[in-house]
Amino acid sequence: MIDETYGAAEMTDPLIAAMTRAVAGLRLAHEEGQVVAARGGALDVAGLTEAARLGDRVEGRAGGLAIQGEVIRVTAAGVHVLPEGGTEGLSLGTRLRLVPPPPFCPDDSWIGRTIDPDGRPLDGRPLLPGPVARDLDAVPPPARSRRPLGARIETGHAVFDTLLPIARGQRIGLFAGSGVGKSTLLAGLARSMAADVVVIGLVGERGREVRHFTDDVMGPEGMKRSVVIAATSDRAPQVRRRAARAATAVAEHFRAQGRQVLLIIDSVTRFAEAHREIAVAAGEAAGLRGFPASTPSALAALCERAGPGCAGEGDITAIYAVLVAGSDMEEPVADWLRGLLDGHVVLDRGIAERGRFPAVDLVRSVSRSLPDVADAAENRMIAEARRLLGTYDRVETMVRAGLYTPGTDPEVDAAVAAWPALDRFAGLVGQRSASESFAALRAALETRAGGSVRPDPTR
């Protein structure tokens, strides 16, 4: 029966085709196996060896409890299944039937919706699949066929319009600990960056935060051009891992149409942690800080799918949130991602605590779209600002302690004079254009010619 939200006038050919595909996907017969062992949170199932493939699903009932899981290992003796929920009441001999993974078919009608990694709605409204199924583990476009990075994207944040520009098709990492304004910054970029469609993958987020993000942080205006794929922290690791891959598949759907897509994954660290849980459960040996050897390749396979498309396609500009415990930029996931991405933005707790937003550490952050996306005059300003900021960072402790004597070093004098204005510039949000941001940067740099060398009292 068609939901009442679909009137007769809306029963178009694409809708009927989508309904037909959904019905055609129903299976009347399934292979069955039975549980022969349960250990370490995983199940050994016999009887499915000939039919099961990695990634297939199983389902059944035990003591009135619905059992669902994913095949993560196949051997001659049987298959290894990782359940997606509780297994209370399960016993040896519990029968499980094999079901193929549901097709994931993004559609333009998904814009404005909140969806789970299997393409099911999370917002209580009906949702039908699109015309074409997409592989959640699709290979990236051929390297030689991809277009180069495009023009600079205006973001509404002065620091990203100048010192850390984001180009069309660029992939950057947002490295941050907890409580430094990461989510607020991501939402601000999602609302203000120039893009046709915004795809947001919430991986392992708290349940309360999903609704808060969509209803309050993004709001109705932000959701008008957005698709949110969410898997909360209580979901099984395979579901959380699928969330990042499903969000990327949705972004690929819109890129194939020639659209400019902004993809935000919060966070890719939780994707790596989910992959670790699955790989270890499948028998892979744990390595550096518990991450198995397959983790770097899993991260690369995910991140390489974003970026510029081939001829006739659009671009996926991607922002990956990277959680760094204790601001440790050398922890494995952060270290791997710095080598994979086209730039990294570091949020600093000390900057956040003194009230500057966004709390970007300009000295430790870099955009690899430079110098190509800026002209000669802009690159000179960027180089001068980075030189002054680097100099001030080097002598800040001496200046604050009163150990530096003004006039000793002209370069240090210029850096100390310019620092307050440059710091205020880094917190400018709501700029109307990149030219306006560069005008503000020019004004900040002009303070290096004079002024007091005393440290800023708010520092």
Side-chain angles (χ1 to χ4, degrees):
M1 180 176 179
I2 304 300
D3 188 274
E4 62 183 6
T5 56
Y6 290 104
E10 293 178 274
M11 287 293 293
T12 60
D13 289 343
L15 179 58
I16 295 174
M19 294 173 64
T20 303
R21 284 189 299 273
V23 173
L26 298 176
R27 296 282 297 274
L28 299 178
H30 300 272
E31 299 282 345
E32 277 198 353
Q34 61 182 6
V35 175
V36 295
R39 51 190 172 186
L43 309 175
D44 290 340
V45 181
L48 297 177
T49 303
E50 298 297 326
R53 300 171 299 175
L54 291 178
D56 280 351
R57 315 282 180 86
V58 298
E59 59 183 30
R61 300 194 70 83
L65 177 72
I67 302 294
Q68 293 182 317
E70 179 178 321
V71 176
I72 59 173
R73 185 181 179 189
V74 179
T75 68
V79 302
H80 209 53
V81 171
L82 191 61
E84 293 188 3
T87 56
E88 293 82 2
L90 184 143
S91 62
L92 296 184
T94 297
R95 302 198 66 81
L96 299 176
R97 61 176 185 168
L98 188 69
V99 293
F104 189 78
C105 306
D107 189 67
D108 292 7
S109 64
W110 289 14
I111 296 176
R113 306 296 303 276
T114 304
I115 301 164
D116 79 358
D118 289 329
R120 296 185 294 251
L122 294 175
D123 50 17
R125 293 184 287 147
L127 184 77
L128 287 172
V132 178
R134 288 200 166 268
D135 186 358
L136 294 188
D137 298 315
V139 297
R144 293 287 298 173
S145 301
R146 303 184 81 151
R147 293 175 289 102
L149 295 181
R152 180 175 60 211
I153 302 175
E154 294 186 344
T155 67
H157 293 67
V159 67
F160 293 111
D161 287 345
T162 55
L163 301 176
L164 298 170
I166 302 174
R168 292 196 185 280
Q170 187 174 354
R171 302 162 304 157
I172 70 167
L174 188 63
F175 294 73
S178 59
V180 296
K182 169 183 61 67
S183 296
T184 303
L185 178 56
L186 288 174
L189 292 171
R191 290 193 304 266
S192 62
M193 282 183 67
D196 298 321
V197 182
V198 180
V199 180
I200 302 170
L202 299 179
V203 182
E205 190 59 84
R206 291 167 291 179
R208 178 183 61 82
E209 292 296 327
V210 172
R211 183 163 187 175
H212 171 69
F213 185 87
T214 57
D215 294 358
D216 301 328
V217 179
M218 290 295 293
E221 286 300 314
M223 288 297 295
K224 280 184 178 178
R225 62 170 187 164
S226 302
V227 181
V228 176
I229 309 293
T232 52
S233 59
D234 61 310
R235 300 301 304 275
Q238 60 268 38
V239 181
R240 286 181 270 128
R241 185 174 68 172
R242 282 204 301 271
R245 292 172 171 172
T248 304
V250 174
E252 290 169 331
H253 164 79
F254 290 110
R255 179 177 63 186
Q257 297 177 352
R259 301 200 203 186
Q260 295 298 324
V261 185
L262 173 62
L263 171 65
I264 296 175
I265 302 294
D266 184 11
S267 72
V268 71
T269 305
R270 297 194 191 107
F271 166 84
E273 291 170 347
H275 175 81
R276 174 176 60 189
E277 291 182 54
I278 298 167
V280 171
E284 190 174 350
L288 184 63
R289 294 201 187 180
F291 288 99
S294 61
T295 307
S297 60
L299 290 169
L302 178 72
C303 295
E304 282 295 325
R305 292 167 62 185
C310 301
E313 295 185 334
D315 305 304
I316 299 176
T317 305
I319 302 176
Y320 297 98
V322 186
L323 303 178
V324 285
S327 300
D328 180 12
M329 289 291 291
E330 304 307 317
E331 65 92 21
V333 176
D335 191 41
W336 291 325
L337 285 166
R338 280 204 309 274
L340 288 173
L341 301 177
D342 306 317
H344 54 273
V345 176
V346 180
L347 301 187
D348 182 82
R349 186 174 305 280
I351 296 174
E353 288 174 347
R354 63 179 170 81
R356 196 247 279 167
F357 173 84
V360 177
D361 186 334
L362 296 171
V363 176
R364 300 170 67 198
S365 303
V366 65
S367 170
R368 294 178 183 170
S369 63
L370 287 172
D372 296 339
V373 298
D375 61 31
E378 292 169 344
N379 275 313
R380 283 194 295 271
M381 277 193 282
I382 292 169
E384 176 68 2
R386 295 193 71 90
R387 182 181 67 81
L388 292 169
L389 289 165
T391 299
Y392 185 83
D393 183 70
R394 204 165 54 245
V395 301
E396 179 184 11
T397 302
M398 293 179 58
V399 172
R400 295 181 63 193
L403 300 177
Y404 175 73
T405 302
T408 304
D409 186 331
E411 183 175 342
V412 173
D413 291 345
V416 174
W419 185 86
L422 287 172
D423 189 63
R424 286 192 295 271
F425 164 80
L428 292 177
V429 178
Q431 303 300 94
R432 291 186 296 274
S433 66
S435 60
E436 184 182 56
S437 295
F438 271 106
L441 177 60
R442 185 180 298 106
L445 289 172
E446 288 172 354
T447 63
R448 72 190 183 279
S452 171
V453 297
R454 291 175 299 179
D456 185 73
T458 63
R459 181 71 179 177

